[in-house]
Amino acid sequence: MKNFKFSSSANGKVFRNGLYSTAILAAAIVLAVLINLLVGAIPKKYTEFDLSAAKMYTLGDSSRQLMQSLDQDVTVYYLCETGSEDAIITKLLDHYADESGHFHWEQKDPALYPTFAAQYGAENASTGSLIVVSGENSEVLNAAELYEYDYSDYYTTGAANVTFGGEKQISSAIYKLTAAAESHAYYTTNHGEQTLTDTLTSALENQNLTLTGLDLLSDSIPEDCDLLIINNPVQDFASAGALVDEMSDLRGYLSRGGKLLITTDSYNRTPNLDALLAEFGLSRTEGLVVEGDSSHSMNGYPTYLLPDYASAVESGVLDNVDKNRGVLLQMAQGIALTETEDVISEALLTTSAESYSKTAGYEMTTLTQEDGDPDGPFTLAAYARNENTEAEVIWIDCGNMDNEGIYQVLPGNVTFLQACATTLAFEESTTLIESKALEAAPLEVSNSTSVALGLTFVIILPAAVLAAGAVVVLLRRRK
């Protein structure tokens, strides 16, 4: 039996080959690690793609502009237990951080930091809440505020439409904490006005708009009034000859370029206010509007109106409104727009062509259209501007537009009112962000298309594959 011996040169060659292979492997591992580190350092907006229908993981233009103009440090603390994070929120916060070096966020586990939230007055904040901090100021966003529920289709579908409002809430909080100056809104209080709801108050304050009550019997409209709100007054404003001439004060404010947001109810007679609105080419349509199109009313109640958004271009109000979110006006009255010298006016909300107005108003005994009941469509909310004085007015002829109960069903009401107020109060557009639907609209396929797709994938394609396979087999056998 022969013994085979390897020479020292052969052993050296094997060693060198092994060493070379090991070096190549080590270099490949190091290169892979470096590439991963490099990719990890790239902002996620360049490495992740948002394929969700509502662009759930993408910042809107307003939010990006806000972050790119940020010149103050902002930190968001996410109060959440480790392992229970909401991926939608964490990815959203990552995108905020990618847009500005002044933005940072940290997760704080309440189990590990039980007293952390208390220093910001958020000791009662639920898990999943956010604390937005800039300097000495902070805002608490409760977890329940980050998602919104729309029950307008509940009676037909049995389910609520859920939207994610986290971006809207976060951007509003950042804007409020970092804006250079506040604007001032005053709301009248001495005519039996409906008190502004907490929801609307919070929405306006989030836009850096401070709200202060104003009794015109004891105070005149302040010089710093950027917006005056008259919310469904029961009594009319006093005119000349009264102890206090409120109408003179109101006209003087508008003559200086004032801004007025007013809601009214046809049940309350306010001829002095009506005369002021007529100076802007706006007047009441007699009666109450009844909707003849069931798709424009709620749950079979034809006086519960679901109007359309008009094609408004002059005011810019609807630029900041999610038009996919409806508004509800109960027992509303129409507004007539009349061409008036030096005044530009336009509709904001309109009924369908099937609507009509019951001239009997609250005294009506039937909802059926009768002789003398005018046909629609009707304007329910209108904008007007005096080109000489730059005074602006938005009139909503419905007394319960600002209603907490309605907000639970249709959050679009507060979005619309917020857009009206901020458009009037601010010279520049503000950070109104739309909420994003969590569910994409279902894909609808016609029967003919469904049959064609079925034949293609169940019969035609499998048959083609079998035929191709048979041809390959025959060609191989011939060889």
Side-chain angles (χ1 to χ4, degrees):
M1 183 176 179
K2 294 183 178 180
N3 294 325
F4 295 94
K5 296 182 180 179
F6 293 97
S7 65
S8 59
S9 61
N11 289 332
K13 185 175 182 180
V14 170
F15 176 76
R16 286 194 299 273
N17 288 338
L19 183 62
Y20 178 74
S21 298
T22 303
I24 292 295
L25 179 61
I29 293 175
V30 170
L31 182 61
V33 171
L34 290 176
I35 291 175
N36 275 279
L37 290 175
L38 180 61
V39 172
I42 299 175
K44 289 183 173 58
K45 63 180 180 179
Y46 299 116
T47 59
E48 295 183 353
F49 300 95
D50 187 356
L51 301 181
S52 61
K55 296 301 178 184
M56 187 70 61
Y57 306 102
T58 304
L59 288 184
D61 292 338
S62 296
S63 293
R64 285 200 299 270
Q65 292 172 8
L66 175 66
M67 298 310 296
Q68 290 166 5
S69 63
L70 198 64
D71 58 4
Q72 303 176 37
D73 289 340
V74 173
T75 302
V76 173
Y77 297 103
Y78 182 26
L79 307 180
C80 183
E81 295 180 359
T82 303
S84 300
E85 299 85 357
D86 186 335
I88 294 177
I89 293 176
T90 56
K91 287 182 179 293
L92 179 66
L93 294 173
D94 284 339
H95 284 300
Y96 273 100
D98 290 341
E99 295 293 340
S100 174
H102 287 285
F103 182 93
H104 310 277
W105 75 275
E106 298 179 25
Q107 181 176 342
K108 291 292 184 180
D109 189 333
L112 301 177
Y113 305 93
T115 62
F116 175 79
Q119 63 184 303
Y120 299 105
E123 56 273 8
N124 296 322
S126 58
T127 298
S129 298
L130 302 173
I131 303 176
V132 186
V133 180
S134 180
E136 299 297 322
N137 301 315
S138 63
E139 285 286 319
V140 179
L141 305 179
N142 288 317
E145 299 175 351
L146 303 179
Y147 291 88
E148 299 175 353
Y149 298 84
D150 184 340
Y151 291 91
S152 58
D153 296 327
Y154 183 82
Y155 291 96
T156 56
T157 65
N161 298 317
V162 185
T163 57
F164 177 67
E167 182 185 346
K168 176 174 66 176
Q169 296 289 343
I170 295 169
S171 292
S172 294
I174 294 172
Y175 177 78
K176 181 179 180 181
L177 294 173
T178 61
E182 294 179 327
S183 293
H184 301 89
Y186 293 84
Y187 55 91
T188 57
T189 60
N190 56 297
H191 310 88
E193 289 90 343
Q194 180 176 306
T195 303
L196 298 179
T197 61
D198 291 341
T199 298
L200 179 59
T201 299
S202 176
L204 297 182
E205 289 178 344
N206 283 341
Q207 297 300 315
N208 231 25
L209 189 62
T210 62
L211 295 167
T212 307
L214 176 64
D215 186 340
L216 290 178
L217 292 178
S218 56
D219 297 297
S220 59
I221 301 174
E223 291 294 329
D224 67 350
C225 180
D226 298 297
L227 172 66
L228 183 66
I229 301 174
I230 302 175
N231 191 29
N232 191 22
V234 176
Q235 291 93 31
D236 199 6
F237 280 46
S239 59
L243 183 62
V244 176
D245 189 350
E246 297 173 307
M247 291 304 302
S248 177
D249 191 14
L250 185 52
R251 282 191 170 89
Y253 168 70
L254 292 173
S255 70
R256 300 189 298 272
K259 318 299 180 184
L260 174 64
L261 173 60
I262 179 171
T263 69
T264 57
D265 192 307
S266 65
Y267 186 80
N268 304 314
R269 299 299 174 184
T270 54
N272 291 334
L273 284 176
D274 291 355
L276 174 68
L277 294 169
E279 296 171 11
F280 287 84
L282 308 177
S283 60
R284 298 174 187 261
T285 299
E286 186 179 2
L288 287 173
V289 176
V290 176
E291 184 55 74
D293 182 351
S294 60
S295 66
H296 284 78
S297 62
M298 188 172 221
N299 304 330
Y301 294 94
T303 56
Y304 284 27
L305 311 176
L306 298 173
D308 294 318
Y309 292 103
S311 301
V313 295
E314 290 293 335
S315 64
V317 171
L318 301 183
D319 294 343
N320 289 323
V321 172
D322 180 359
K323 298 177 183 63
N324 293 319
R325 306 179 74 180
V327 296
L328 172 63
L329 281 74
Q330 300 173 333
M331 309 300 284
Q333 188 175 29
I335 299 173
L337 279 65
T338 305
E339 186 174 342
T340 303
E341 185 178 1
D342 298 325
V343 171
I344 294 176
S345 62
E346 62 182 1
L348 299 177
L349 299 175
T350 60
T351 63
S352 78
E354 302 300 317
S355 63
Y356 51 90
S357 183
K358 295 292 296 181
T359 56
Y362 282 97
E363 303 300 323
M364 74 177 83
T365 57
T366 176
L367 290 173
T368 304
Q369 186 175 15
E370 301 173 298
D371 292 340
D373 293 340
D375 294 320
F378 299 99
T379 295
L380 303 181
Y383 165 86
R385 180 179 74 249
N386 186 302
E387 291 189 290
N388 289 333
T389 64
E390 294 300 321
E392 295 178 284
V393 172
I394 291 179
W395 181 17
I396 304 167
D397 205 357
C398 176
N400 64 349
M401 181 75 174
D402 177 29
N403 184 294
E404 291 286 9
I406 292 178
Y407 296 153
Q408 300 301 316
V409 179
L410 279 172
N413 272 37
V414 71
T415 303
F416 178 74
L417 288 171
Q418 183 185 32
C420 290
T422 54
T423 300
L424 292 175
F426 299 106
E427 295 182 1
E428 299 180 355
S429 61
T430 55
T431 57
L432 294 180
I433 312 295
E434 297 178 1
S435 297
K436 298 178 180 180
L438 293 180
E439 298 179 358
L443 179 64
E444 297 182 357
V445 180
S446 64
N447 288 334
S448 59
T449 303
S450 177
V451 171
L453 291 173
L455 290 174
T456 299
F457 289 101
V458 175
I459 298 177
I460 297 175
L461 287 180
V465 171
L466 289 174
V471 170
V472 171
V473 170
L474 289 175
L475 290 176
R476 286 181 175 177
R477 287 183 176 179
R478 289 181 178 181
K479 291 180 180 180

